[in-house]
Amino acid sequence: SLEDYEETVKKAKEAWKVWADIPAPKRGEIVRQIGDALRQKIKVLGSLVSLEMGKIFVEGVGEVQEYVDVCDYAVGLSRMIGGPILPSERPGHALIEQWNPVGLVGIITAFNFPVAVYGWNSAIAMICGNACLWKGAPTTSLISVAVTKIIAKVLEDNKVPGAICSLVCGGADIGTAMARDERMDLLSFTGSTKVGKQVALMVQERFGRSLLELGGNNAIIVFEDADLNLVIPSALFAAVGTAGQRCTTARRLFLHESIHDEVVAKLAKAYAQVRIGDPWDSDTLYGPLHTKEAVKMFLDAVEQAKQQGGSVVYGGKVIDRPGNYVEPTIVTGLAHNAPIVHTETFAPILYVLKFKEEEEVFAWNNEVKQGLSSSIFTKDLGRIFRWLGPKGSDCGIVNVNIPTSGAEIGGAFGGEKHTGGGRESGSDSWKLYMRKSTCTINYSKDLPLAQGIKFQ
């Protein structure tokens, strides 16, 4: 309830006062212990992710592994955060940059990665000196509670308040309260572009800071010189993994006209070999969609694709078995700018499209509103660097000869345009969880002004 939320925010703010006084390397040591505690429970947590979200067991375990990995990353980072000493133009003056924590970081996560996304945010936010307030998805609240209990025990064993990592379970009313709450010094939101836009406006209205990880409409581009032994498993994993419910899922597959028919035939054959079943079964590669609503969205999208000129060459139907199972689906024959191709449907539907020239297909990659992940398959070195350059992909993740999904924690994760512009996890994304002060120190007995101004 909102009363619970109010109490939780107060406790988290109080806990921050304790946490901010602890030296960063000591904070890093506690985050290391959190990683170890998660490591010890990795299989049972992975199993719980699988049960609640529906992804296959190995993906559930892999998601907890991401949190463990980012804890390891954060430990090293806790000894490395620093600002430069800059040359001052004034004699007897020092110019330095000081980084301080923002305070309380609100973290709203989505159902599809109910552990990893919180891990990326919390591990980095914590070593920066922030307290965290997590609101998980209402449909994956058990995993939120389990992870929070593990973290709280580590914190309390180290004689610091468990409220440093607080949790609120609730619906849109709690999310709205967080977005509007001036006590949230940073709000990290992962979810749909539609809801993300509402969050961004509410946070901006109070001049708050937001970190947005929103939708993706990701493309794989396959040129005539591509190694098809890489292309087929890559496209399969990117389109079918997590039953198409990743923000980095491949939804568009651009094939050079000379190899289009061959790749479609091989891909359909690969789709037919996907083992569908209980996500807890170790042989299963593909589980159910998360909700009944997702099944309806899948069917609506397939119908729209047909109406707009597409042909279903594989799948397209609901599977007759208990649970929200649908067939992984391949659609050919659509135009690159068909409305359904430009719509992100959170389901395993892959639109396969033909192209002739590099320049046109790079433009088609960039013409959707989202800008998260993108991949090309080619052996042409010049083309690779054009793809990475200013006229290439406009996405935050730009890959070569690997799928659109499956990002490592060492690089910053996020995208441009309607994907929100936020960055989480590695690289210099730690800067988003801190505030920068430019500090000038006069250690002389004079008072020279900058730009040579005389004020006498």
Side-chain angles (χ1 to χ4, degrees):
S1 69
L2 287 166
E3 290 76 21
D4 295 328
Y5 167 75
E6 187 60 33
E7 183 186 353
T8 308
V9 173
K10 285 176 181 170
K11 290 271 175 66
K13 283 298 230 186
E14 284 300 311
W16 175 75
K17 294 175 185 175
V18 176
W19 190 240
D21 282 340
I22 296 171
K26 294 276 173 46
R27 296 194 294 255
E29 164 55 21
I30 293 172
V31 170
R32 184 193 67 76
Q33 293 173 33
I34 291 170
D36 279 350
L38 293 165
R39 211 181 249 114
Q40 288 165 21
K41 297 273 199 311
I42 195 164
K43 288 193 173 173
V44 71
L45 288 172
S47 194
L48 185 52
V49 170
S50 189
L51 172 71
E52 226 181 356
M53 186 269 152
K55 64 175 63 173
I56 61 174
F57 174 67
V58 290
E59 284 191 329
V61 171
E63 185 178 336
V64 183
Q65 185 64 51
E66 276 197 62
Y67 194 166
V68 171
D69 290 345
V70 85
C71 284
D72 287 346
Y73 180 88
V75 179
L77 188 61
S78 70
R79 291 183 179 270
M80 293 168 64
I81 288 175
I85 299 175
L86 303 163
S88 173
E89 67 183 68
R90 290 172 279 186
H93 285 59
L95 195 57
I96 65 173
E97 281 183 3
Q98 170 76 26
W99 291 89
N100 283 303
V102 292
L104 179 57
V105 176
I107 304 166
I108 300 176
T109 61
F111 75 87
N112 60 330
F113 279 87
V115 175
V117 172
Y118 176 66
W120 295 346
N121 280 276
S122 64
I124 305 295
M126 285 176 76
I127 62 102
C128 290
N130 300 295
C132 300
L133 178 63
W134 181 18
K135 180 199 169 299
T139 52
T140 54
S141 54
L142 291 178
I143 194 70
S144 305
V145 171
V147 168
T148 299
K149 285 195 167 222
I150 290 168
I151 296 168
K153 184 173 188 315
V154 173
L155 291 168
E156 287 160 6
D157 285 350
N158 281 274
K159 307 286 192 294
V160 294
I164 290 163
C165 289
S166 293
L167 172 71
V168 284
C169 294
D173 57 336
I174 302 298
T176 300
M178 290 174 74
R180 290 189 168 142
D181 195 337
E182 292 196 346
R183 295 168 297 181
M184 293 291 141
D185 299 294
L186 168 68
L187 186 67
S188 174
F189 173 84
T190 302
S192 70
T193 296
K194 181 184 173 187
V195 178
K197 187 175 183 181
Q198 296 168 354
V199 169
L201 290 170
M202 284 187 273
V203 174
Q204 183 56 44
E205 196 172 41
R206 61 177 174 85
F207 290 105
R209 289 169 64 165
S210 60
L211 193 170
L212 302 173
E213 293 284 0
L214 311 176
N217 192 345
N218 314 295
I220 293 175
I221 302 170
V222 184
F223 286 91
E224 64 274 24
D225 65 338
D227 182 346
L228 296 190
N229 291 325
L230 293 177
V231 169
I232 303 305
S234 292
L236 183 72
F237 172 67
V240 170
T242 326
Q245 298 168 108
R246 290 178 177 229
C247 49
T248 52
T249 291
R251 310 202 180 278
R252 299 175 295 149
L253 177 63
F254 292 106
L255 301 175
H256 189 268
E257 59 183 9
S258 65
I259 57 167
H260 176 274
D261 294 352
E262 180 188 359
V263 172
V264 170
K266 286 186 172 180
L267 200 55
K269 191 176 176 183
Y271 267 54
Q273 294 169 34
V274 171
R275 296 185 301 278
I276 300 169
D278 185 335
W280 269 356
D281 186 331
S282 59
D283 282 340
T284 300
L285 282 180
Y286 174 94
L289 292 176
H290 187 56
T291 60
K292 289 273 183 281
E293 185 186 8
V295 176
K296 183 179 182 302
M297 279 166 36
F298 165 84
L299 289 171
D300 288 349
V302 171
E303 193 53 43
Q304 285 180 56
K306 288 176 184 173
Q307 289 171 7
Q308 291 169 27
S311 302
V312 176
V313 296
Y314 191 91
K317 298 188 288 293
V318 172
I319 298 172
D320 184 17
R321 60 175 292 165
N324 305 316
Y325 286 86
V326 301
E327 294 175 339
T329 301
I330 302 170
V331 179
T332 60
L334 285 163
H336 67 92
N337 57 355
I340 193 63
V341 174
H342 280 226
T343 303
E344 182 197 20
T345 304
F346 226 56
I349 305 172
L350 182 65
Y351 304 112
V352 182
L353 311 143
K354 280 185 191 177
F355 75 92
K356 290 183 181 179
E357 303 293 337
E358 174 190 305
E359 192 174 336
E360 71 175 356
V361 79
F362 282 8
W364 293 351
N365 175 76
N366 296 348
E367 73 184 354
V368 295
K369 289 186 181 298
Q370 304 88 344
L372 179 52
S373 189
S374 54
S375 299
I376 62 165
F377 284 78
T378 184
K379 298 188 186 88
D380 185 326
L381 201 56
R383 179 180 288 139
I384 289 168
F385 280 95
R386 289 190 292 275
W387 172 243
L388 304 179
K391 293 182 179 177
S393 172
D394 65 357
C395 296
I397 297 168
V398 184
N399 293 336
V400 178
N401 296 330
I402 64 163
T404 52
S405 54
E408 297 180 32
I409 62 101
F413 181 92
E416 301 299 323
K417 304 187 299 190
H418 284 217
T419 302
R423 292 298 186 275
E424 293 169 342
S425 197
S427 184
D428 66 346
S429 57
W430 61 269
K431 292 178 178 176
L432 295 165
Y433 303 91
M434 302 194 87
R435 55 182 179 81
K436 179 169 65 174
S437 305
T438 302
C439 314
T440 309
I441 301 159
N442 179 3
Y443 56 89
S444 74
K445 293 183 177 176
D446 300 314
L447 195 64
L449 301 178
Q451 292 84 46
I453 293 170
K454 304 290 183 194
F455 194 74
Q456 294 170 334

